[in-house]
Amino acid sequence: MRTIATLAELKTLIGQEIAVSDWIGIPQEKVQQFADVTGDHQWIHTDVERCHAESPFGGTIAHGFLTLSLLPTMMESAVTMGDVKMAVNYGLNKVRFPAPVPVGSWLRGRISVLAVDDIPDGAQVTWQISVERSGSDKPVCVAELISRRYS
């Protein structure tokens, strides 16, 4: 866990990787729950038998948006800021899914600070999070996440 005392300190970290999140497991049950919540039941995510027979991935894979939805959890396990009363997600700039996430994978995020811009009572922070899969050299998701932090 990386503790950053102030927004001023955060500004000194622009351009640097500042933290790595905890690992998060991706079991089939989590993929199925995501499919049920979102209504995205495409067979490459939910039909284990068909995937073993037909999929080029050899088994089911997680939804890209499931991986993306884990970014706040990754941030929470990796970074805390001392003078922030409230933080909100503001949006995303760029998101790419360069590699699949086979069910059974373990993921973690590498977190960098790209920009810190002053706003009334706080800062808008642009983070880059590169999500890696255990045992793979290629990231499964690379995203620019924007948050607003108020002190």
Side-chain angles (χ1 to χ4, degrees):
M1 172 70 72
R2 174 74 180 263
T3 300
I4 300 167
T6 64
L7 288 170
E9 179 185 348
L10 184 62
K11 288 180 179 182
T12 69
L13 301 173
I14 294 170
Q16 299 177 43
E17 181 179 294
I18 63 161
V20 178
S21 76
D22 294 339
W23 289 102
I24 300 171
I26 309 296
Q28 184 65 49
E29 180 182 21
K30 185 178 285 190
V31 173
Q32 185 63 50
Q33 290 169 340
F34 189 84
D36 292 343
V37 167
T38 62
D40 181 353
H41 291 93
Q42 185 180 14
W43 66 271
I44 63 172
H45 307 302
T46 60
D47 191 331
V48 175
E49 291 78 24
R50 185 174 177 188
C51 282
H52 286 300
E54 297 179 36
S55 170
F57 306 114
T60 51
I61 60 171
H63 304 74
F65 286 135
L66 169 55
T67 302
L68 188 63
S69 73
L70 297 173
L71 298 186
T73 300
M74 291 177 183
M75 289 290 297
E76 188 175 318
S77 78
V79 179
T80 187
M81 294 192 59
D83 70 344
V84 174
K85 292 180 185 174
M86 179 180 69
V88 295
N89 289 327
Y90 192 68
L92 297 154
N93 283 336
K94 298 176 187 175
V95 178
R96 298 291 182 266
F97 303 107
V101 176
V103 166
S105 295
W106 287 87
L107 307 178
R108 70 177 177 184
R110 295 190 163 279
I111 301 163
S112 301
V113 180
L114 296 182
V116 180
D117 300 304
D118 292 330
I119 60 172
D121 299 320
Q124 179 171 296
V125 183
T126 305
W127 309 90
Q128 178 174 299
I129 305 176
S130 180
V131 181
E132 61 186 13
R133 181 173 64 88
S134 179
S136 177
D137 293 333
K138 191 171 189 176
V140 298
C141 178
V142 180
E144 287 184 15
L145 174 68
I146 305 167
S147 65
R148 287 197 165 180
R149 297 178 173 265
Y150 298 94
S151 45

